[in-house]
Amino acid sequence: MKRVNAFLDANNLKKVESRGDLQMELLEHLKMLVMTKSSTKPPTDTDSDVEELASKPVEDIKPLLKLLSGSSFGEKTSIGYAVLKALTLLSRHKQNRKQFAEHDVASALSLLSNPASKIRLEAALLVRNLCYDEAKVSMAVELSGPRAILHLLRNPSEKPDSRAAAAAALQTITYRHSGRLCVLEFNGLAVILELINCKYTTLRVRAIGILRNLTVDIRTATRVYEAGAVKILCSLLCSRHTEEAGYAAGVIQNLSRHKKARLLLQGQAVSLLIGLALTSTHLPAQVAAVCALHNLLSPALGSGFSGFKRRRLLKNVLSDALALGMIGSAVLTTNKAMSPIAGGWTALALPAFRTQIAALEGVTQSVAASEVEASDKKHRDARHLPAATKAERGWTFACDGSE
């Protein structure tokens, strides 16, 4: 980075634009910077890692940012691409992202419509990194960034890698509430629902991740259910791609807060979620499956002390399932020679766990029905009203749970 800054300090942009030899020299410096940063392991955005990075000297990337918003050097896209690549790598660090001003974010978003596909790809990756910071998400929303990203996603002729990078940027943006609202404002939900059926795994996984973020809002979860996405989400629980199955479980976890969706999912997803919780080798997928099972089954466990005991029993069963799933995952991932043992364990644990859940479901439904009948009888005795129909009891049972 120091070499690039020293070169740009010694040569202003107009001088570089007018001389081919200086452009070649700048390109070599940029390639060296990219090579150096590519070999560095990116930090993860956790509090401990941020504290460790804070002790390192801050790199001055402002001269490089001037190239981002400056001239494109005519038809020479190689320098522009190298600048983007370097900034994408540098933006993995929180301390570097802080140096991006709003006009820099605007420049990155404008490059999403660049004629060169490799520029669009790298711009999407840069936007994704920048939007790990909440302040940058606010800037992107103010600049209508999600609309530019959705435009890229809507283009079926765009390369899958570029669309996947754009989806990754949108997934980062929708992690924040303001980002979710902006995506919905530009009718992004329809685009995402279409992408969860695409044939490209990486793009599909990102789309499901976006859907998980969007369905945090109960109103959006309602729209996803009404769009008929439950069937495809249930089928994705069987995906060999562990992250895809985990995201699908996360969406189902959010959808299960919708009463009608919960009734539909109880018939389709419970068995698949049990299998994912016990047999997946991906811990986030296991956790999402267990949380989804809790959301699906807990609201219908009745009220009062008996309902409290059943919910506690459900939590114990799910905790055991997660613990057993983690043990099985550890056996499979650390020692492939023990996979037959893990397979035998799974063959024993899976039916036993399913039996426990089935028993809970059966008791729950019968108890809930009897509680509804008792409530109806008490109401009729007090007011001398006619007996409730079966449909009315079903509606009351479906409402027995908090959002």
Side-chain angles (χ1 to χ4, degrees):
M1 191 66 221
K2 290 181 180 179
R3 290 184 180 181
V4 173
N5 288 348
F7 175 85
L8 293 174
D9 287 340
N11 303 278
N12 60 56
L13 291 182
K14 289 184 179 180
K15 185 178 179 181
V16 175
E17 288 175 5
S18 62
R19 290 179 55 180
D21 60 328
L22 291 180
Q23 292 179 22
M24 292 300 297
E25 187 177 350
L26 173 59
L27 185 58
E28 289 302 317
H29 287 308
L30 290 171
K31 287 181 177 179
M32 184 61 67
L33 175 61
V34 169
M35 187 182 301
T36 303
K37 295 301 178 182
S38 297
S39 62
T40 306
K41 184 179 179 181
T44 52
D45 288 293
T46 61
D47 292 337
S48 59
D49 289 324
V50 170
E51 290 174 3
E52 290 176 5
L53 285 171
S55 61
K56 296 182 179 180
V58 178
E59 295 178 290
D60 183 14
I61 66 171
K62 291 181 180 178
L64 205 56
L65 289 173
K66 291 181 180 179
L67 291 177
L68 178 66
S69 56
S71 172
S72 60
F73 296 93
E75 298 180 354
K76 296 181 179 295
T77 58
S78 53
I79 291 180
Y81 176 73
V83 169
L84 263 179
K85 187 73 175 178
L87 287 172
T88 300
L89 293 169
L90 289 164
S91 63
R92 297 180 301 176
H93 297 261
K94 187 175 183 178
Q95 59 187 8
N96 292 335
R97 292 196 293 269
K98 291 180 179 179
Q99 299 181 56
F100 283 77
E102 185 170 347
H103 66 270
D104 299 317
V105 177
S107 298
L109 289 170
S110 67
L111 292 172
L112 292 172
S113 58
N114 190 279
S117 61
K118 65 178 184 179
I119 296 291
R120 295 194 297 272
L121 168 62
E122 208 60 45
L125 293 174
L126 176 58
V127 172
R128 177 201 62 181
N129 287 356
L130 292 177
C131 288
Y132 282 124
D133 291 353
E134 187 172 4
K136 300 301 183 290
V137 173
S138 299
M139 292 178 188
V141 168
E142 287 293 325
L143 295 164
S144 298
R147 179 165 58 184
I149 296 171
L150 287 168
H151 179 74
L152 194 63
L153 287 173
R154 286 189 179 101
N155 184 5
S157 61
E158 184 65 62
K159 290 185 177 180
D161 288 348
S162 298
R163 296 178 79 192
L170 205 62
Q171 184 178 355
T172 309
I173 289 173
T174 53
Y175 181 74
R176 308 291 180 182
H177 179 66
S178 60
R180 292 194 288 271
L181 291 178
C182 189
V183 169
L184 293 173
E185 180 184 346
F186 293 122
N187 198 27
L189 183 59
V191 179
I192 303 309
L193 287 173
E194 184 179 344
L195 289 178
I196 65 173
N197 292 296
C198 77
K199 62 181 180 180
Y200 301 107
T201 303
T202 304
L203 180 55
R204 190 172 63 247
V205 169
R206 291 300 183 186
I208 301 168
I210 296 169
L211 198 60
R212 180 176 184 177
N213 289 345
L214 292 176
T215 51
V216 167
D217 182 3
I218 186 63
R219 291 169 295 182
T220 309
T222 302
R223 290 171 61 183
V224 171
Y225 158 72
E226 291 174 348
V230 169
K231 186 175 181 180
I232 180 66
L233 288 168
C234 289
S235 68
L236 291 172
L237 293 174
C238 303
S239 172
R240 294 182 180 180
H241 196 292
T242 54
E243 191 177 10
E244 181 176 32
Y247 280 149
V251 178
I252 289 173
Q253 176 188 348
N254 292 339
L255 289 181
S256 60
R257 295 175 301 156
H258 186 283
K259 299 176 183 65
K260 291 183 180 180
R262 185 162 59 241
L263 291 176
L264 182 60
L265 286 164
Q266 284 173 351
Q268 297 185 25
V270 171
S271 180
L272 296 172
L273 288 168
I274 292 171
L276 184 64
L278 284 172
T279 62
S280 176
T281 57
H282 187 55
L283 179 58
Q286 293 173 307
V287 172
V290 166
C291 291
L293 283 167
H294 179 269
N295 281 6
L296 284 172
L297 301 176
S298 181
L301 287 174
S303 58
F305 184 66
S306 59
F308 166 77
K309 290 195 296 184
R310 294 186 196 98
R311 277 188 287 274
R312 186 173 62 180
L313 175 60
L314 174 63
K315 290 180 180 179
N316 291 339
V317 171
L318 294 177
S319 297
D320 291 344
L322 182 58
L324 290 171
M326 292 169 65
I327 293 171
S329 173
V331 171
L332 284 171
T333 55
T334 58
N335 192 340
K336 293 183 179 180
M338 295 183 68
S339 58
I341 298 176
W345 163 82
T346 301
L348 291 173
L350 199 55
F353 181 62
R354 281 178 174 155
T355 300
Q356 287 181 300
I357 291 294
L360 263 177
E361 285 185 292
V363 171
T364 297
Q365 291 170 3
S366 62
V367 170
S370 64
E371 288 179 354
V372 170
E373 181 63 34
S375 176
D376 286 350
K377 185 177 183 302
K378 182 179 179 181
H379 193 63
R380 291 195 304 272
D381 291 343
R383 302 223 181 165
H384 306 287
L385 295 177
T389 64
K390 184 177 181 181
E392 288 172 335
R393 289 199 299 271
W395 180 85
T396 306
F397 170 71
C399 285
D400 184 22
S402 59
E403 296 292 288

